[in-house]
């Protein structure tokens, strides 16, 4: 009986022969699986940061668009509204230049720049893993989209449209919420850069 069991149990197949032994290609497969498991949380976090970017951009854009529609409907061709005496008023104007009324002779150039900024932010979003950067870029994107919408759809023509401005502090240029979003996003980016935080979430020290 022992002889028969020995003969029957003789390994003559690859599975039987390899029992208790690791296949040569098992180690690379295990390493690949471990890498995929490590990368999965990073991809999930990256998607969340991108979602934050576009959520902030959408909020800033809709807020700017709604405020401009209200200003055009209720304030344009009317007397300014005093909010804090002479220090802060709402006064509707059309601005063919850049933010805060600068450079009115270069409307088309500013339109192209705004479009380029939007494209750069959209491409950068693929490598985004930092929440502060997501907020900053979202503010920039929402503000750029807000003013670009005016450039495209408002008079006097496509890509030459005048932006609606209405926030008028005393002794300062008139601006809108899109300008505010762009400035806040830019300031936040400067702070993050000084702190050494990159959009991919890494921190470097110069």
């Amino acid at each position: 009986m022992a002889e028969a069991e020995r003969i029957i149990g003789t390994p003559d197949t690859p599975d039987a022969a390899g029992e208790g032994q690791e296949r040569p290609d098992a180690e690379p497969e295990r390493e690949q699986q471990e890498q995929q498991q490590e990368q999965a949380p990073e991809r999930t976090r990256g998607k969340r940061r991108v979602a934050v970017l576009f959520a902030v951009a959408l909020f800033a854009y809709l807020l700017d668009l709604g405020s401009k529609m209200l200003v055009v409907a209720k304030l344009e061709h009317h007397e300014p509204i005093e909010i804090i005496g002479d220090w802060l008023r709402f006064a509707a104007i059309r601005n063919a230049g850049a933010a805060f009324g600068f450079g009115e002779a270069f409307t088309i150039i500013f339109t192209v720049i705004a479009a380029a900024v939007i494209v750069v932010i959209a491409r950068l979003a693929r490598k985004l893993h930092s929440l502060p950067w997501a907020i900053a870029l979202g503010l920039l994107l929402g503000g750029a989209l807000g003013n670009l919408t005016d450039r495209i759809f408002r008079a006097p023509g496509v890509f030459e449209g005048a932006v609606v401005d209405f926030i008028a502090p005393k002794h300062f240029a008139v601006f809108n919420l899109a300008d505010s979003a762009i400035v806040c996003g830019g300031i936040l980016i400067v702070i993050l850069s000084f702190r050494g935080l990159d959009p991919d979430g890494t921190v470097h020290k110069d």
Side-chain angles (χ1 to χ4, degrees):
M1 179 63 70
E3 185 66 19
E5 289 178 353
R6 186 184 64 80
I7 296 174
I8 294 174
T10 300
D12 55 357
T13 63
D15 292 338
E19 185 176 357
Q21 299 181 1
E22 189 173 350
R23 291 181 294 119
D25 59 345
E27 184 66 23
E29 290 181 0
R30 184 166 61 251
E31 292 179 356
Q32 184 177 7
Q33 291 175 355
E34 291 176 353
Q35 291 177 357
Q36 291 175 350
Q37 292 175 355
E38 292 175 356
Q39 292 173 357
E42 291 294 326
R43 288 195 295 266
T44 301
R45 188 177 67 171
K47 291 179 180 179
R48 290 176 180 174
R49 299 299 181 259
V50 172
V52 170
L53 186 157
F54 287 111
V56 172
L58 181 62
F59 176 78
Y61 175 73
L62 293 178
L63 192 63
D64 175 70
L65 182 62
S67 66
K68 289 174 179 175
M69 293 175 63
L70 185 62
V71 165
V72 171
K74 301 295 184 180
L75 188 57
E76 199 167 36
H77 309 302
H78 292 77
E79 291 295 323
I81 299 176
E82 293 186 352
I83 305 302
I84 307 177
D86 292 337
W87 291 97
L88 179 62
R89 300 186 303 166
F90 286 168
I93 68 168
R94 298 295 182 109
N95 170 26
F100 307 108
F102 299 122
E104 294 187 2
F106 304 97
T107 304
I108 296 180
I109 296 177
F110 292 133
T111 303
V112 174
I113 293 175
V117 168
I118 293 171
V119 173
V120 170
I121 293 174
R123 292 177 62 87
L124 186 60
R126 296 180 299 177
K127 300 179 180 179
L128 187 63
H129 289 84
S130 168
L131 180 59
W133 270 95
I135 296 173
L137 293 177
L139 290 171
L140 283 180
L141 180 59
L145 284 172
N147 284 338
L148 184 62
T149 299
D150 284 0
R151 305 284 188 198
I152 295 175
F153 295 106
R154 297 194 187 277
V158 178
F159 298 117
E160 297 180 352
V163 174
V164 176
D165 290 335
F166 63 93
I167 304 174
K170 189 176 182 180
H171 304 308
F172 196 74
V174 184
F175 59 96
N176 56 42
L177 295 182
D179 297 332
S180 301
I182 292 172
V183 171
C184 290
I187 292 175
L188 183 54
I189 287 176
V190 171
I191 294 174
L192 294 174
S193 299
F194 272 113
R195 296 184 61 182
L197 180 62
D198 292 333
D200 62 1
T202 60
V203 179
H204 68 272
K205 295 182 180 180
D206 296 332

